[in-house]
Amino acid sequence: MASRTATKLAFASIKSHCGPAPIARRAYATTPKSPLLSSRAISKSSFSRTILQQSFRRSYADTVSPVTKRRGRGFFRWTWRLTYLSTIGGIGYLGYTIYLLRTPQEQFDPDPSKKTLVILGTGWGAVSLLKKLDTENYNVIVVSPRNFFLFTPLLPSCTTGTIEHRSIMEPVRNILRHKRATVKYYEAAATKIDYARKVVHIDDQSDIKGDTSSTEIPFDMLVVGVGAENATFGIPGVREHSCFLKEVEDAQQIRKRIMDCVETSTFKDQSEEERKRLLHMIVVGGGPTGVEFAGELQDFFEQDLKKWVPEITGDFHVTLVEALPNVLQSFSKQLIDYTESTFKEESITIRTKTMVKNVTDKYIEAEHTKPDGTKVLEKIPYGLLVWATGNALRPVVKDLMSQIPAQKDSRRGLSVNEYLVVNGTENVWAVGDCAIANYAPTAQVASQEGAFLARLFNSLAKTEAINAELAELSVAQSKANGDARTEIFAHMKALQKQLRRVKQIGPFEYSHQGSLAYIGSEKAVAEVSWLTGNFASGGTLTFLFWRSAYLSMCFSTRNRVLVILDWVKAKMFGRDVSR
């Protein structure tokens, strides 16, 4: 009805524009029309058509109901805008962070009259200390044969090429250059600590040496963070024939050895028995390091080696050897069972209650305890043997312990008190694997110890500065009179109040954040401290948490970016199988 009314109105409008119709149109139909009349008719008809179209459009717009907007479209539009802006902001922040890392500020030389603090090592404890230490309060000297910090939790990934080793290395020069005051660094090994004379003997052990390669460094305060060596437990042949997994060189050697075993096994006329021996990879040690390496190695075979070297498919095998009844002893029983079942699915053999007694170049002799308690000595051939168990004292730590009578009963490292001071000394502290603080020798413990020492040393420096200022004010108030003396007294009270706050730092307390371990097939196990208990989890989602946690723990933005790129590269192109 509405459309009919609109049509009538349209025709009425046309009539009003065109005027009355001519009466004698039929009478003149046979007469020729002049060009002027023809053009008028054409223009009049086109005008009428235009008016008609506009009228119909207007009537259609009036009659058709307006289109309602979808409610969800606005939400997605704003979500896209927020994502877009967040991406731009993240890229800008990343660029600014990289700029700060690339352009360190000018440093000033510390006061020579201040105490000399010597730090031995560039591991977790030492670097955590350096990161939070106010270096302007001391003359800081760092001594280490390794001029970089190594993120050891991701070291097993370097053995198979999932991550390149330089992605988890942070040059110590980068760390020291961003401190306010200048910090001296010497690439050398500490060979002896003379506690009586308060000097450290250092030796340049690099391939290129100058005229002076050995010297002494005096100290007022000393922090020992040299770590530990690999423990062989006196087993013959371990050091000669096995690969360790503690340093970058170890990961490189393992990676080379894996491909050597693969290529040698495919050599012409190689016997089947010898091929199986070469492709048998044995990992000794059921802790997180050994478990993660076994998982990474099996992933390397399943995802890459089997594709490019298909002839080794039926012979490649990984075995994990552990002397204790279970692997991952620090984890809950639930996660231990999950790890063992996952390894079984991945065809990784776990041999618990098996102690290695002897190692040769082609096999190990191991003593296995059966369920009934009987012990059997057997030979297990191998192509690659990775020793990932136990820590031993370094010679410099043993020598220092022999100089301190209070350390005579200590066997596993330097015993320390609740403030990490080495027992029997006054100005020597120890952190990390070389110290015994009643905690497990993990990176998490060493990092918290280093951060605690930084707070302690900063507090000591502030205490000395406040005491020196109080001594000056005490002399000044004895000479002042009237209001000046009152002001000095008020300032002294404020400093004494500040001094009490500074001295409130308590003893070291370790806060366990949790334990993580990768178990292969893009699965991981995690035991995280949550409120008053522990939260245990395992699986693919835990693997994503494992990656995100380790990524956040990386030392710098540079390390995080490089690790992400390595993960993406390995996922897209696979691991490199070249020797």
Side-chain angles (χ1 to χ4, degrees):
M1 185 68 183
S3 60
R4 290 180 181 177
T5 305
T7 306
K8 291 179 180 180
L9 291 174
F11 278 112
S13 176
I14 293 170
K15 288 180 180 180
S16 64
H17 282 285
C18 296
I23 299 174
R25 178 173 294 177
R26 292 182 180 178
Y28 293 97
T30 57
T31 60
K33 296 181 179 179
S34 64
L36 179 62
L37 293 174
S38 177
S39 63
R40 286 179 180 176
I42 294 172
S43 62
K44 190 178 292 186
S45 63
S46 63
F47 177 73
S48 301
R49 191 181 300 110
T50 303
I51 295 297
L52 183 63
Q53 290 176 353
Q54 290 179 354
S55 300
F56 274 114
R57 289 173 185 169
R58 203 175 291 119
S59 63
Y60 180 78
D62 293 338
T63 56
V64 178
S65 60
V67 180
T68 58
K69 295 182 178 180
R70 295 181 181 178
R71 296 180 179 179
R73 185 175 297 177
F75 170 77
F76 287 113
R77 184 185 296 114
W78 280 106
T79 302
W80 162 249
R81 290 175 181 175
L82 289 175
T83 305
Y84 183 73
L85 292 176
S86 300
T87 303
I88 295 176
I91 294 174
Y93 176 76
L94 178 62
Y96 178 70
T97 305
I98 294 174
Y99 169 77
L100 293 179
L101 291 174
R102 294 281 296 166
T103 55
Q105 301 296 321
E106 291 294 329
Q107 293 178 311
F108 63 88
D109 294 329
D111 187 357
S113 62
K114 293 186 176 180
K115 292 183 178 180
T116 299
L117 171 62
V118 177
I119 301 174
L120 303 181
T122 52
W124 281 91
V127 168
S128 180
L129 165 61
L130 287 168
K131 188 177 182 179
K132 298 185 178 182
L133 177 68
D134 296 333
T135 55
E136 60 269 20
N137 297 325
Y138 301 95
N139 291 292
V140 183
I141 300 175
V142 180
V143 178
S144 175
R146 191 177 70 181
N147 69 343
F148 57 87
F149 165 73
L150 180 65
F151 188 76
T152 50
L154 288 177
L155 191 60
S157 298
C158 297
T159 59
T160 58
T162 306
I163 294 176
E164 294 298 329
H165 64 275
R166 291 199 176 274
S167 299
I168 59 173
M169 294 165 56
E170 182 68 19
V172 70
R173 295 284 185 181
N174 292 7
I175 301 170
L176 302 181
R177 188 63 180 81
H178 283 85
K179 305 301 295 184
R180 291 185 59 189
T182 303
V183 178
K184 295 181 180 179
Y185 169 73
Y186 301 116
E187 187 183 70
T191 56
K192 181 179 176 60
I193 300 173
D194 193 334
Y195 177 68
R197 295 177 53 220
K198 292 186 178 181
V199 296
V200 178
H201 297 261
I202 64 173
D203 183 27
D204 182 7
Q205 297 182 349
S206 62
D207 296 333
I208 299 177
K209 297 181 174 60
D211 294 336
T212 302
S213 59
S214 298
T215 186
E216 298 178 353
I217 300 177
F219 66 85
D220 298 310
M221 304 166 65
L222 176 66
V223 177
V224 183
V226 296
E229 291 182 345
N230 296 283
T232 62
F233 306 102
I235 300 173
V238 172
R239 196 168 296 278
E240 293 81 6
H241 304 295
S242 63
C243 299
F244 300 106
L245 191 52
K246 190 177 281 289
E247 302 290 343
V248 171
E249 295 80 6
D250 300 333
Q252 292 174 326
Q253 183 184 3
I254 292 172
R255 188 172 179 179
K256 177 178 176 294
R257 186 71 181 265
I258 292 171
M259 294 313 303
D260 277 346
C261 291
V262 171
E263 298 296 347
T264 305
S265 67
T266 60
F267 194 76
K268 187 177 183 298
D269 298 332
Q270 197 74 268
S271 66
E272 182 179 356
E273 182 180 358
E274 183 67 6
R275 184 167 60 252
K276 288 184 178 180
R277 181 190 72 81
L278 289 168
L279 295 175
H280 187 200
M281 314 293 172
I282 296 180
V283 185
V284 179
T289 302
V291 168
E292 289 189 345
F293 172 69
E296 290 279 359
L297 186 57
Q298 188 66 24
D299 285 351
F300 185 34
F301 168 71
E302 293 289 345
Q303 299 172 9
D304 297 285
L305 286 177
K306 192 163 63 173
K307 295 178 182 178
W308 310 119
V309 196
E311 55 266 35
I312 69 171
T313 301
D315 298 323
F316 190 92
H317 189 63
V318 179
T319 298
L320 182 64
V321 177
E322 170 58 45
L324 297 176
N326 297 301
V327 298
L328 298 177
Q329 286 290 320
S330 60
F331 288 72
S332 64
K333 183 67 168 59
Q334 176 187 0
L335 294 182
I336 292 174
D337 294 340
Y338 179 76
T339 301
E340 293 178 350
S341 64
T342 303
F343 272 19
K344 186 176 181 179
E345 294 174 0
E346 297 172 354
S347 301
I348 299 176
T349 301
I350 299 179
R351 303 194 59 162
T352 56
K353 298 182 180 180
T354 303
M355 297 183 63
V356 179
K357 295 296 184 179
N358 184 36
V359 177
T360 67
D361 60 339
K362 291 188 177 182
Y363 62 88
I364 64 172
E365 293 181 357
E367 185 180 72
H368 174 64
T369 303
K370 294 183 177 182
D372 59 359
T374 59
K375 296 181 179 181
V376 179
L377 186 65
E378 54 185 327
K379 293 182 180 180
I380 307 175
Y382 70 89
L384 170 68
L385 175 64
V386 176
W387 195 268
T389 178
N391 290 326
L393 295 177
R394 295 189 182 275
V396 64
V397 176
K398 291 181 180 179
D399 181 74
L400 177 61
M401 293 170 61
S402 65
Q403 301 176 42
I404 304 172
Q407 298 288 327
K408 64 179 181 179
D409 295 330
S410 182
R411 294 290 180 270
R412 296 183 292 110
L414 292 165
S415 61
V416 296
N417 64 10
E418 66 274 15
Y419 290 93
L420 304 182
V421 179
V422 176
N423 293 330
T425 68
E426 296 179 353
N427 54 352
V428 179
W429 291 261
V431 294
D433 293 348
C434 64
I436 301 176
N438 297 323
Y439 302 108
T442 62
Q444 191 176 164
V445 172
S447 179
Q448 293 187 28
E449 289 175 344
F452 169 79
L453 282 188
R455 295 194 301 270
L456 179 64
F457 291 163
N458 294 338
S459 175
L460 291 175
K462 290 179 182 178
T463 301
E464 292 182 1
I466 293 173
N467 286 331
E469 189 174 356
L470 285 173
E472 294 177 358
L473 290 175
S474 179
V475 175
Q477 64 88 21
S478 63
K479 299 178 181 179
N481 295 316
D483 294 339
R485 188 173 186 180
T486 303
E487 292 180 1
I488 293 175
F489 269 125
H491 188 34
M492 291 179 66
K493 289 181 180 179
L495 287 176
Q496 288 172 350
K497 186 177 180 180
Q498 181 181 357
L499 183 62
R500 287 193 294 270
R501 288 199 304 268
V502 170
K503 286 184 175 181
Q504 285 180 353
I505 184 170
F508 171 72
E509 292 184 7
Y510 169 63
S511 175
H512 184 63
Q513 303 299 316
S515 302
L516 300 169
Y518 178 65
I519 58 176
S521 298
E522 296 187 348
K523 296 178 182 179
V525 291
E527 199 167 56
V528 183
S529 300
W530 182 261
L531 299 178
T532 57
N534 292 332
F535 176 74
S537 174
T540 303
L541 291 179
T542 309
F543 164 71
L544 298 177
F545 173 73
W546 172 83
R547 279 199 165 180
S548 62
Y550 278 1
L551 198 64
S552 65
M553 291 168 59
C554 287
F555 186 85
S556 66
T557 303
R558 168 184 168 274
N559 293 136
R560 297 185 188 99
V561 172
L562 292 177
V563 168
I564 291 175
L565 292 177
D566 286 341
W567 281 337
V568 172
K569 182 179 65 176
K571 193 68 175 178
M572 291 179 62
F573 304 106
R575 302 170 182 83
D576 188 5
V577 296
S578 62
R579 183 175 176 277

